[in-house]
Amino acid sequence: MTADSLQSVLDHYSAADWRAHRALVTGDVIQDDSEAAYGRFRDLLLPLKLRVHCVPGNHDVRDLMKAVCVRPPFSYCAWEEIGDWLLVGLDSCIKDTAGGEVSQEELDRLSDIVMSSAARHVLVYLHHPPIPMGSKWLDSVGLANGDEVLERLRTLRCVRALTFGHVHQAYDDVYEDIRILATPSTCAQFKPGSDKFAVDDKPPAYRRIELHPDGEVTTELQWVAT
């Protein structure tokens, strides 16, 4: 019951003392290909009173998602400057395919945004992981050009962090001084390291991320009992 578990996550956030300035939604908002599901997603998140930055996942329908997520306070594959930081959302989806790829056009858009910004630090967010997760079935539907994406981020020199969805499990590592982060799902989790599809017994989660003026990134996972 994914709507119920999402509501549990939102209730957990609302009951805590920690407050965000933005929410990043890294895709797979719906699964039933319905316009109504996006409307329900919007209604669930509006009480947060946050700007919500969204990118599509392989289960999303771009046209339906855009219709909801281009209306403030939501945005779709958008960028925003906040103090010393620039946030940039990328589309990594391929229609009718579970795996992903960031197109050359999308990589060039990223470069243009970063080079025209005065921000000193950049966080990039997308759906598919640019690195292997060590899970045979999951790595078969990862980001086809992950190495190219990471190289583009490296050459831009000011990218401090990249965060993604898709994998339904935690990940936190560093590549060429870039923090690479995955957040477990707000519903079910995948079993790490599994050769075949398997569901873990861990609960829903969300991630707090703090972006500091000097470029440091601190983060903490919040597991939510349902």
Side-chain angles (χ1 to χ4, degrees), residues 26-152:
T26 52
D28 283 357
V29 173
I30 69 163
Q31 178 141 348
D32 65 358
D33 296 354
S34 76
E35 183 179 358
Y38 286 112
R40 188 174 188 185
F41 160 72
R42 183 180 173 90
D43 290 344
L44 284 168
L45 268 71
L46 277 173
L48 295 179
K49 301 187 183 303
L50 291 173
R51 185 166 180 181
V52 181
H53 289 301
C54 305
V55 291
N58 53 286
H59 289 289
D60 288 306
V61 180
R62 283 187 179 97
D63 290 343
L64 296 179
M65 188 176 183
K66 284 180 184 178
V68 169
C69 292
V70 296
R71 305 200 320 263
F74 291 70
S75 67
Y76 181 89
C77 294
W79 61 271
E80 182 186 13
E81 291 179 342
I82 308 174
D84 293 309
W85 282 85
L86 170 68
L87 312 179
V88 186
L90 299 180
D91 186 340
S92 63
C93 294
I94 304 171
K95 187 177 180 181
D96 299 324
T97 303
E101 182 175 11
V102 180
S103 68
Q104 190 64 47
E105 179 181 7
E106 191 75 341
L107 286 174
D108 290 343
R109 183 177 74 92
L110 168 66
S111 294
D112 290 343
I113 292 169
V114 171
M115 289 188 292
S116 64
S117 172
R120 297 167 54 212
H121 316 297
V122 180
L123 179 145
V124 174
Y125 56 102
L126 73 170
H127 182 67
H128 293 87
I131 41 81
M133 298 298 298
S135 180
K136 187 175 181 180
W137 77 272
L138 194 53
D139 289 339
S140 71
V141 290
L143 197 62
N145 63 335
D147 289 344
E148 181 184 7
V149 171
L150 289 173
E151 179 60 18
R152 180 66 65 97

Side-chain angles (χ1 to χ4, degrees), residues 170-184:
Y171 185 89
D172 186 348
D173 206 349
V174 177
Y175 169 84
E176 296 284 349
D177 295 327
I178 301 171
R179 192 81 172 269
I180 309 291
L181 299 168
T183 302

Side-chain angles (χ1 to χ4, degrees), residues 191-209:
K191 191 172 183 62
S194 177
D195 284 345
K196 297 181 180 179
F197 175 83
V199 176
D200 206 354
D201 58 2
K202 290 191 174 180
Y206 64 100
R207 183 183 288 279
R208 298 172 176 176
I209 299 175

